[in-house]
Amino acid sequence: MRTALVVLLLAAPSLALGVTATAQQPVAGRLAGRVPAGVVAAVSALGDSAAARGLPVDPLVDKAIEGGAKAAPPERIVAAVQAVFARLGRAQVALQAATPGVPAADAVEAGAFALSAGLEDANVQELARICVAPCSAAEALRVAGTLTALGVPAPEAVELVRQTLRSGGKERDLLALPGRVEAELAGGATPAQAAAGLARAAAARAAAHGQSGAPPHGPPTSRRP
Amino acid sequence: MTTVLHPLVKRFLDGELRLADLPPELHAEARAAERLLGAVDRAPVTLPAALEARVMAEVRQRVIAPSARRWWHRLAEPWEIRLRLRPWILGPALAAAAVLVLILARSQPPVPPVAVAAAPESVYVRFVLYAPGAHRVSVAGTFNQWDATTAPLAPAGAAGVWATTVALPVGQHQYAFLVDGRRWVNDPAAPMVDDGFGRRNSVVAVTAGAAGARAL
């Protein structure tokens, strides 16, 4: 008992200092000298709001630093950071609607990336719903976002991820999807055709394994002249 | 200034197609691209002459001085502390500690659970840009806090080809090339997303165990 009390009394000040230092992880310090003072204040306020809502703060700081490096006007930097903040919030809402509990920070960040790449909130929600353990929602969202960045329409991107998972695809199969789409593009397919063709192939594999994945609808893959 | 290779030429470079499989009009482009890549691969990796001196200076700085070592031993050796407590003080002390913990807990905003990798694995990623006429090229992105001074590209054998190799932590990164310190250029071989500043960023994903970056 005596030992426990001594430990508690000695540890309490350290605990207090440590917790305070972590909470004040200085957004302003990271931005000092990289962006104008007005931007530092605005991003610090957004960082506080993000932390209070359980959103990751690093993407906000990264975007501000990027704006400073690219010599963007202060109002443009703040607008870009606000846009990231908004996308993080949308991603968090979509993820919470899909699965119970507090979504992981990396999933929220990946969801925000997917939204920036062109996916809709409903797509993020759907991807989180179809991605059950051991599938990583963050990975599925990043892959779908990258497919969209390659030009694949959002519905086809989601469908391709869905069919890949239904056919028993593992994380490495998900990660390979953008490369496989690029290979199809090199062969002359449009992004939509490439994704639809790969989704049909995955659905066929799922059917062969007795899974319940219905083949997606859509025109057969054809090559551009 | 960048050049986008024809998709069939890319497949030729990847070894998926033979030269004879390409349409005749692409033969010249394929040979030129092959020459450029050959030159890049042959470019020797040379370290700056001052690197060793800088490393050794850093090591010497970190050696603990004798006086510091004595202090360290005083701190590290066990001390004998005798503490005599009267039983009646335990109650108030515990109550004060509990109040302190409650105050600290209430004053902090909720922190979401964050997945932290124990030791982020890094993968060497080679960045290559064809920028004829450029005097300086660097790559900046989320992996180096958009600091264009940390990853300069060097001329890589053939005229106009710039390259560098950077160790990137596993994860997804956005980046762009900075040409001559004023012009941001995308990687034509990578997916792109809006950067929020009227331009676009290239995207690269580094996966664990990969021999290099995968264009995720």
Side-chain angles (χ1 to χ4, degrees), chain B:
Chain B
M1 183 76 84
T2 60
T3 299
V4 178
L5 294 175
H6 190 282
L8 291 176
V9 174
K10 286 185 184 175
R11 295 184 65 187
F12 163 70
L13 293 175
D14 289 340
E16 296 175 6
L17 296 176
R18 293 171 303 150
L19 186 64
D21 297 331
L22 299 181
E25 63 271 20
L26 291 180
H27 283 190
E29 182 181 343
R31 287 198 189 93
E34 192 177 34
R35 269 200 309 278
L36 284 176
L37 280 186
V40 170
D41 288 341
R42 282 195 302 275
V45 177
T46 55
L47 296 175
L51 179 62
E52 183 178 352
R54 285 211 320 269
V55 170
M56 292 310 296
E58 183 73 19
V59 169
R60 276 192 290 274
Q61 270 190 343
R62 288 167 187 265
V63 172
I64 303 173
S67 58
R69 194 177 298 136
R70 277 198 303 276
W71 275 104
W72 169 246
H73 278 300
R74 285 184 193 174
L75 289 173
E77 284 170 1
W79 296 355
E80 183 180 346
I81 299 176
R82 292 189 178 184
L83 188 64
R84 303 181 67 180
L85 291 175
R86 298 181 190 284
W88 59 265
I89 206 169
L90 287 178
L94 284 175
V99 168
L100 177 64
V101 169
L102 277 177
I103 290 173
L104 287 172
R106 286 173 67 90
S107 64
Q108 304 308 323
V111 179
V114 179
V116 179
E121 191 177 341
S122 290
V123 174
Y124 286 103
V125 177
R126 189 154 178 83
F127 292 94
V128 180
L129 181 70
Y130 179 58
H135 300 291
R136 270 183 304 142
V137 179
S138 56
V139 61
T142 50
F143 49 83
N144 61 5
Q145 298 282 291
W146 292 95
D147 185 350
T149 64
T150 61
L153 277 69
V161 178
W162 297 74
T164 190
T165 301
V166 181
L168 298 187
V170 167
Q172 189 178 51
H173 308 281
Q174 295 186 25
Y175 67 97
F177 295 106
L178 182 61
V179 177
D180 291 337
R182 55 187 166 76
R183 192 160 51 89
W184 290 94
V185 175
N186 297 119
D187 187 339
M192 284 176 269
V193 293
D194 182 17
D195 73 348
F197 304 109
R199 302 187 187 90
R200 296 176 78 73
N201 287 338
S202 302
V203 178
V204 63
V206 179
T207 55
R214 300 174 69 157
L216 197 167

Side-chain angles (χ1 to χ4, degrees), chain A residues 81-163:
Chain A
V81 175
Q82 285 172 333
V84 173
F85 179 83
R87 281 196 294 270
L88 289 168
R90 286 167 55 196
Q92 185 188 49
V93 169
L95 291 167
Q96 281 174 332
T99 54
V102 179
D106 67 334
V108 173
E109 197 171 338
F113 163 72
L115 291 172
S116 76
L119 266 71
E120 301 291 337
D121 301 52
N123 301 136
V124 173
Q125 189 174 335
E126 193 175 356
L127 283 164
R129 188 173 290 133
I130 62 180
C131 182
V132 293
C135 166
S136 153
E139 213 63 77
L141 288 164
R142 286 191 199 106
V143 168
T146 306
L147 291 172
T148 311
L150 282 169
V152 175
E156 277 82 356
V158 174
E159 189 61 28
L160 178 52
V161 171
R162 180 208 311 278
Q163 294 300 342

Side-chain angles (χ1 to χ4, degrees), chain A residues 156 190 192-198 200 216-222:
Chain A
E156 277 82 356
T190 65
Q193 289 167 347
L198 291 169
R200 271 197 302 276
H217 303 293
T221 301
S222 60

Side-chain angles (χ1 to χ4, degrees), chain A residues 154-210:
Chain A
E156 277 82 356
V158 174
E159 189 61 28
L160 178 52
V161 171
R162 180 208 311 278
Q163 294 300 342
T164 302
L165 291 173
R166 277 186 180 171
S167 67
K170 302 289 188 295
E171 184 181 353
R172 65 173 181 276
D173 300 307
L174 279 184
L175 295 174
L177 288 178
R180 295 179 65 190
V181 167
E182 282 184 317
E184 294 292 318
L185 300 184
T190 65
Q193 289 167 347
L198 291 169
R200 271 197 302 276
R205 281 197 304 277
H209 288 97

